[in-house]
């Protein structure tokens, strides 16, 4: 009997990337004909099945939910997991958490491993590398095999599944309007590169707030950071980039940051430069986590209500799993739930 193989094993055997293997199996023209033939021949020899879903969901339920998150240290994701576990346990389900570390390959490996009879469905937030590559085949394959997915926070509209999001544009707009109401006239934004959807949407909210209040947009006030898991060297670089932002724009009196790490770093740099907060500079951040409450001064934030997102995502997934058990002929209608944000005022604004 031939052994079962995974994408990872094929990639290792042929000394190519997991992404190359997955594209070759789908006959992508991005991959050379020689490589495609080699990968497909190897997969056929070892009877490779996409996603390794060997056990039909119709015949077996594990009462377990798989969660895939981009990073474990982020307070927001820990709150989402808390919400998922709360609802799952109440409804008789267990959870398994997988970590992508913002990597496309790790996301694919996690899904392949968990989908191999371990779980009934996924709740996930997409890795930044996946968003950057725009390669979503593993989600489509999983759904096509009959395993439902619920996406949260970072989602892709064209994937047919339920989604739970916050209104990033509206939340950011309210934050910037708070700074404008408080008298700020030169408001900087510290954001991510545009391939990360939430950073792009929060930047849109910033731009809309300035436009509606007839404040001229200055390109020099927009700082875009390469958003990744930060080492000590990366944090030093972040501080230097923010310091350059302040030194190049002496009139900055407000900062909106798309996450609390950027905001807390901005406060640290501003204080080092002798700026008083909130007297000389006011700061607001998206994401209400541990850093916000314990920074000096404490940080005004836009709360995403991570636990509520997790609870809703778990309900959506379990409802779909249990609906499938009752009537498999019901036409699939997917839901996108929008969780309202709140502005939590602390010492970094007047």
């Amino acid at each position: 009997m031939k052994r079962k193989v995974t994408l990872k094993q094929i990639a290792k055997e042929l000394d190519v990337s997991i992404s190359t293997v997955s594209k070759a199996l789908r006959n992508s023209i991005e991959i050379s004909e020689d490589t495609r033939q080699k990968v497909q021949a190897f997969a056929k020899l070892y009877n490779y099945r996409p996603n390794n879903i060997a056990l039909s969901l119709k015949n077996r339920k594990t009462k377990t939910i798989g969660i895939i998150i981009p990073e474990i240290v982020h307070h927001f994701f820990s709150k989402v997991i808390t919400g998922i576990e709360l609802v799952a346990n109440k409804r008789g389900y267990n959870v398994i958490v997988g970590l992508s570390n913002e990597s496309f390959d790790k996301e694919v490996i996690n899904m392949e491993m968990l989908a191999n009879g371990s779980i009934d469905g996924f709740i996930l937030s997409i890795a930044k590398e996946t968003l950057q590559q725009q390669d979503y085949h593993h989600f489509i394959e999983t759904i096509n095999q009959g395993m439902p997915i619920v996406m949260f926070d970072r989602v892709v509209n064209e994937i047919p599944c339920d989604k739970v999001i916050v209104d990033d544009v509206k939340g950011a707009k309210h934050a910037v309007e708070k700074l404008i109401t408080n008298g700020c006239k030169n408001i900087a934004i510290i954001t991510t590169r545009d391939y990360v959807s939430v950073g792009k949407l929060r930047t849109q909210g910033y731009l809309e707030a300035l436009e509606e209040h007839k404040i001229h947009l200055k390109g020099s006030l927009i700082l875009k950071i390469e958003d990744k898991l930060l080492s000590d060297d990366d944090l030093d670089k972040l501080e230097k980039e923010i310091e350059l932002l302040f030194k190049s724009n002496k009139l900055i009196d407000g900062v909106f940051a798309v996450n609390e790490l950027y905001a807390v770093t901005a406060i640290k740099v501003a204080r080092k430069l002798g700026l008083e907060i909130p007297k000389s500079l006011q700061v607001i951040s998206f994401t209400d986590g541990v850093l916000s409450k314990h920074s000096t001064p404490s940080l005004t934030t836009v709360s995403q209500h991570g636990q509520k997102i997790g609870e809703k995502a778990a309900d959506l997934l379990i409802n779909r799993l249990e609906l499938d058990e009752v009537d498999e002929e019901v036409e699939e209608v997917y839901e996108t739930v929008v969780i309202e944000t709140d502005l939590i005022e602390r010492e970094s604004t007047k």
Side-chain angles (χ1 to χ4, degrees):
M1 182 182 292
K2 295 184 178 73
R3 62 187 173 94
K4 291 178 182 176
V5 294
T6 65
L7 281 180
K8 185 178 181 181
Q9 288 168 330
I10 297 173
K12 185 177 179 182
E13 290 286 341
L14 301 179
D15 196 26
V16 294
S17 71
I18 290 172
S19 180
T20 296
V21 173
S22 67
K23 287 176 181 177
L25 290 172
R26 288 179 288 122
N27 233 17
S28 170
I29 57 172
E30 295 177 49
I31 309 302
S32 71
E33 178 66 25
D34 181 58
T35 302
R36 272 185 280 163
Q37 287 183 2
K38 195 186 300 180
V39 169
Q40 289 171 10
F42 190 94
K44 186 176 180 181
L45 177 65
Y46 288 101
N47 195 27
Y48 171 75
R49 292 187 186 185
N51 264 357
N52 264 352
I53 303 177
L55 296 172
S56 170
L57 292 176
K58 297 175 185 176
N59 301 325
R60 181 173 180 266
K61 295 288 182 182
T62 65
K63 302 288 280 188
T64 302
I65 293 168
I67 306 171
I68 308 289
I69 56 170
E71 50 180 306
I72 200 70
V73 296
H74 200 301
H75 183 261
F76 168 70
F77 291 120
S78 67
K79 295 297 285 184
V80 172
I81 291 171
T82 298
I84 294 170
E85 281 202 309
L86 191 69
V87 169
N89 292 340
K90 276 184 184 174
R91 299 186 64 173
Y93 284 74
N94 295 310
V95 302
I96 296 177
V97 180
L99 189 62
S100 71
N101 272 336
E102 304 291 12
S103 159
F104 168 82
D105 285 356
K106 287 183 179 176
E107 187 173 79
V108 172
I109 290 165
N110 268 296
M111 290 191 71
E112 183 178 70
M113 179 181 68
L114 292 176
N116 191 19
S118 300
I119 62 157
D120 297 336
F122 283 104
I123 297 173
L124 59 89
S125 185
I126 304 174
K128 285 171 190 160
E129 198 172 83
T130 304
L131 290 168
Q132 195 171 15
Q133 294 182 15
Q134 296 183 30
D135 185 347
Y136 309 126
H137 76 276
H138 48 308
F139 304 136
I140 298 295
E141 284 179 2
T142 301
I143 292 164
N144 287 346
Q145 292 280 356
M147 182 171 283
I149 288 175
V150 175
M151 292 181 173
F152 72 91
D153 190 42
R154 300 183 201 154
V155 306
V156 177
N157 291 333
E158 55 264 38
I159 303 295
C161 67
D162 296 312
K163 303 172 181 76
V164 186
I165 58 173
V166 297
D167 192 331
D168 288 285
V169 175
K170 186 176 176 183
K173 190 174 174 183
H174 283 170
V176 176
E177 285 175 341
K178 170 66 177 172
L179 293 172
I180 294 169
T181 301
N182 285 3
C184 296
K185 299 186 186 308
N186 292 280
I187 302 168
I189 180 171
I190 307 173
T191 186
T192 58
R193 300 290 179 191
D194 285 346
Y195 64 80
V196 180
S197 55
V198 291
K200 186 176 183 179
L201 292 170
R202 292 168 194 175
T203 302
Q204 183 184 330
Y206 162 83
L207 297 173
E208 287 184 10
L210 295 187
E211 185 180 355
E212 286 187 16
H213 289 267
K214 296 181 171 51
I215 296 175
H216 176 65
L217 172 65
K218 298 174 186 172
S220 62
L221 293 179
I222 300 175
L223 175 59
K224 291 188 176 182
I225 304 291
E226 187 63 48
D227 195 17
K228 57 183 178 179
L229 296 174
L230 296 172
S231 65
D232 289 341
D233 288 343
D234 292 322
L235 288 170
D236 290 340
K237 185 181 177 185
L238 175 63
E239 286 187 25
K240 286 174 184 172
E241 289 192 51
I242 293 174
E243 186 170 340
L244 183 61
L245 171 71
F246 286 143
K247 287 181 175 178
S248 304
N249 298 274
K250 301 285 189 183
L251 297 178
I252 289 177
D253 52 9
V255 169
F256 170 63
V258 299
N259 62 50
E260 63 177 356
L261 176 62
Y262 293 174
V264 169
T265 306
I267 288 174
K268 178 183 176 183
V269 172
R271 293 180 71 192
K272 186 173 80 171
L273 295 175
L275 296 170
E276 288 184 60
I277 298 169
K279 186 177 178 182
S280 305
L281 179 75
Q282 298 183 56
V283 182
I284 296 181
S285 158
F286 227 98
T287 308
D288 184 47
V290 175
L291 292 178
S292 304
K293 298 177 183 71
H294 298 290
S295 68
T296 304
S298 57
L299 181 62
T300 295
T301 59
V302 178
S303 174
Q304 293 169 272
H305 302 296
Q307 182 170 326
K308 193 181 291 185
I309 289 174
E311 290 174 5
K312 188 62 188 176
D315 269 328
L316 284 172
L317 182 62
I318 294 169
N319 287 348
R320 189 164 292 282
L321 289 169
E322 294 181 351
L323 177 68
D324 286 347
E325 289 176 354
V326 175
D327 187 355
E328 294 174 4
E329 300 304 316
V330 174
E331 185 181 350
E332 301 284 12
V333 178
Y334 296 105
E335 191 176 350
T336 296
V337 176
V338 181
I339 305 293
E340 289 294 320
T341 59
D342 289 318
L343 192 65
I344 299 175
E345 295 186 42
R346 298 194 181 93
E347 297 166 347
S348 67
T349 54
K350 294 176 183 176

